[in-house]
Amino acid sequence: MFARHYCASWAREARPFVLIHHISTTEMDLDALRDSAETKKIKKNLEKDQKRIYKILSDRTGHTVVEISAECVKNQSMTSEEAMRFGLIDEVI
């Protein structure tokens, strides 16, 4: 069974599970960690992007931003059916 879900800005088919988690980055390297200003800049950009994604998910699922954040903290996989009940996907195909 597969799920069709709508990410922040596009539609796609997913595997039999959906992973909900916090935003992450590959921008961090040792030089960035050594540079306090660069680390703060990356953190600020991640927080801005995370808030935007939470708002989009909140609008699309009907859950509050706080509820979306709490689910992302769990860094959990959901079955297609669980993701549909939560409002992350529109149909199971």
Side-chain angles (χ1 to χ4, degrees):
M1 195 174 304
F2 291 89
R4 180 183 314 257
H5 72 280
Y6 294 93
C7 295
S9 62
W10 67 88
R12 66 180 192 167
E13 292 180 2
R15 290 177 168 67
F17 61 89
V18 175
L19 177 64
I20 183 168
H21 58 87
H22 282 298
I23 193 170
S24 61
T25 184
T26 58
E27 291 181 42
M28 294 299 276
D29 59 23
L30 189 54
D31 291 332
L33 289 171
R34 288 179 180 139
D35 182 352
S36 173
E38 183 65 21
T39 302
K40 287 179 184 178
K41 177 182 166 191
I42 293 169
K43 181 178 180 261
K44 180 180 176 184
N45 287 336
L46 283 171
E47 288 174 343
K48 180 182 77 171
D49 290 346
Q50 185 74 72
K51 285 179 185 178
R52 188 174 76 232
I53 291 169
Y54 283 175
K55 174 72 170 110
I56 291 167
L57 289 173
S58 175
D59 290 346
R60 292 189 179 186
T61 64
H63 291 280
T64 67
V65 171
V66 171
E67 291 170 325
I68 296 293
S69 177
E71 291 300 313
C72 288
V73 166
K74 296 176 186 176
N75 199 32
Q76 66 181 348
S77 294
M78 295 180 181
T79 66
S80 299
E81 292 81 10
E82 291 168 331
M84 192 163 79
R85 282 193 301 274
F86 192 77
L88 292 174
I89 61 173
D90 297 314
E91 65 181 323
V92 176
I93 55 175

